[in-house]
């Protein structure tokens, strides 16, 4: 049997990931650390004068299509998973930074003329980085609107508690700082801090690795680039 992997991603982002993990021979448990909610937007989206859309997550794409049927905008995506979601829902002019928020800021700087109009960013209530700050010297009008929320869960599933307690989890996958923070909080709540000594933490970024550093792991591993493909490569390397 292959290593037992704990996936902490929200359910909305997990279908492709879990299919890939199973195809690679891993066994799988799931404990989403965040629940994604798409609240009503009674005033609609503020798209007047917008030249392009910015998507920093696949959930941003999902939230946009909840509120608008317009697929004619060019879209700039933080990574390839988000770009694939944009293509899936019908956008055709898609640019991917294939990285993190800093790579996306560079893509915007290279690809977009700020004189041609605003950029609309459908975002979560809490965001991992501030594009407006990163691009403050370039005079971009970035219009961020909250269209979804990522809510930390209150409990761990019983099967996950039992697997951690029995030291059966071989690796945990972490894709975001907020996911990592939620996991740490629950591990402490259930007093499982000493049950991860044989477990590897596979992290998408340094920011994620910093959050889980308060727990004691067998090993922590960092994706070479902040994409799902590189995170899975780090996972494969951990068990090579």
């Amino acid at each position: 049997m292959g290593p037992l992997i704990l996936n902490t991603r929200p359910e909305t982002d997990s279908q492709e990931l879990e299919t890939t993990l199973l195809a690679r021979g891993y066994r799988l448990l799931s404990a989403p650390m965040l629940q994604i909610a798409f609240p009503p937007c009674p005033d609609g989206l503020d798209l007047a004068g917008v030249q392009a859309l910015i998507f920093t997550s696949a959930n941003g794409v999902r939230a946009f299509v909840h509120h608008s049927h317009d697929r004619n905008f060019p879209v700039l995506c933080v990574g390839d998973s988000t770009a694939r979601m944009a293509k899936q829902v019908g956008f055709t002019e898609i640019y991917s930074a294939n990285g993190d928020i800093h790579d996306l800021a560079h893509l915007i700087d290279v690809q977009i003329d700020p004189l041609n109009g605003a950029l609309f960013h459908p975002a979560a209530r809490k965001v991992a980085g501030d594009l407006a700050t990163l691009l403050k010297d370039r005079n971009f009008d970035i219009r961020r609107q909250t269209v979804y929320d990522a809510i930390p869960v209150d409990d761990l599933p019983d099967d996950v508690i039992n697997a951690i307690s029995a030291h059966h989890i071989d690796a945990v996958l972490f894709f975001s700082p907020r996911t990592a923070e939620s996991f740490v909080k629950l591990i402490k709540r259930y007093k499982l801090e000493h049950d991860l000594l044989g477990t590897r933490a596979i992290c998408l970024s340094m920011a994620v690795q910093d959050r889980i550093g308060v727990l004691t792991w067998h090993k922590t591993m960092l994706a070479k680039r902040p994409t799902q493909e590189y995170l899975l490569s780090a996972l494969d390397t951990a068990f090579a």
Side-chain angles (χ1 to χ4, degrees), residues 168-213:
H168 289 166
I169 303 290
D170 295 300
V172 184
L173 306 184
F174 294 106
F175 283 82
S176 75
R178 292 197 69 206
T179 294
E181 289 169 359
S182 180
F183 182 83
V184 169
K185 179 180 177 181
L186 290 174
I187 288 296
K188 291 182 176 180
R189 174 181 170 185
Y190 287 98
K191 302 186 186 305
L192 298 170
E193 297 98 316
H194 301 297
D195 294 313
L196 296 169
L197 295 175
T199 304
R200 298 161 176 82
I202 314 297
C203 304
L204 188 72
S205 68
M206 282 294 299
V208 175
Q209 191 175 48
D210 289 344
R211 302 304 195 281
I212 57 93

Side-chain angles (χ1 to χ4, degrees), residues 139-161:
N139 296 317
F140 283 99
D141 177 11
I142 296 179
R143 192 179 301 166
R144 191 174 82 193
Q145 185 171 343
T146 298
V147 291
Y148 73 97
D149 202 1
I151 305 165
V153 301
D154 294 324
D155 300 288
L156 285 172
D158 289 341
D159 59 343
V160 172
I161 294 172

Side-chain angles (χ1 to χ4, degrees), residues 1-212:
M1 295 189 295
L4 180 60
I5 308 303
L6 178 61
N7 172 33
T8 62
R9 284 196 107 175
E11 290 183 7
T12 53
D13 295 317
S14 288
Q15 183 175 356
E16 177 190 353
L17 171 65
E18 293 188 352
T19 297
T20 301
L21 287 168
L22 292 172
R24 294 190 184 197
Y26 294 107
R27 295 176 296 135
L28 188 62
L29 283 177
S30 182
M33 291 291 103
L34 301 171
Q35 293 180 336
I36 306 301
F38 301 100
C41 188
D43 296 327
L45 305 182
D46 184 10
L47 298 174
V50 166
Q51 63 165 312
L53 308 177
I54 299 170
F55 291 127
T56 50
S57 72
N59 285 315
V61 181
R62 295 183 183 102
F64 183 89
V65 302
H66 270 279
H67 302 296
S68 175
H69 297 292
D70 195 335
R71 305 293 182 268
N72 294 319
F73 289 105
V75 299
L76 300 107
C77 300
V78 68
D80 289 348
S81 294
T82 303
R84 285 194 293 271
M85 177 57 65
K87 182 178 181 180
Q88 181 179 324
V89 301
F91 289 102
T92 57
E93 188 177 351
I94 301 168
Y95 304 92
S96 174
N98 192 28
D100 60 13
I101 196 76
H102 298 277
D103 298 303
L104 179 57
H106 177 70
L107 175 66
I108 293 169
D109 191 22
V110 170
Q111 194 66 41
I112 299 295
D113 184 345
L115 297 179
N116 290 338
L119 300 173
F120 182 76
H121 178 198
R125 194 170 305 280
K126 293 184 178 181
V127 294
D130 187 350
L131 279 169
T133 298
L134 292 174
L135 293 166
K136 63 182 179 180
D137 295 330
R138 294 285 286 114
N139 296 317
F140 283 99
D141 177 11
I142 296 179
R143 192 179 301 166
R144 191 174 82 193
Q145 185 171 343
T146 298
V147 291
Y148 73 97
D149 202 1
I151 305 165
V153 301
D154 294 324
D155 300 288
L156 285 172
D158 289 341
D159 59 343
V160 172
I161 294 172
N162 294 335
I164 294 174
S165 299
H167 304 164
H168 289 166
I169 303 290
D170 295 300
V172 184
L173 306 184
F174 294 106
F175 283 82
S176 75
R178 292 197 69 206
T179 294
E181 289 169 359
S182 180
F183 182 83
V184 169
K185 179 180 177 181
L186 290 174
I187 288 296
K188 291 182 176 180
R189 174 181 170 185
Y190 287 98
K191 302 186 186 305
L192 298 170
E193 297 98 316
H194 301 297
D195 294 313
L196 296 169
L197 295 175
T199 304
R200 298 161 176 82
I202 314 297
C203 304
L204 188 72
S205 68
M206 282 294 299
V208 175
Q209 191 175 48
D210 289 344
R211 302 304 195 281
I212 57 93

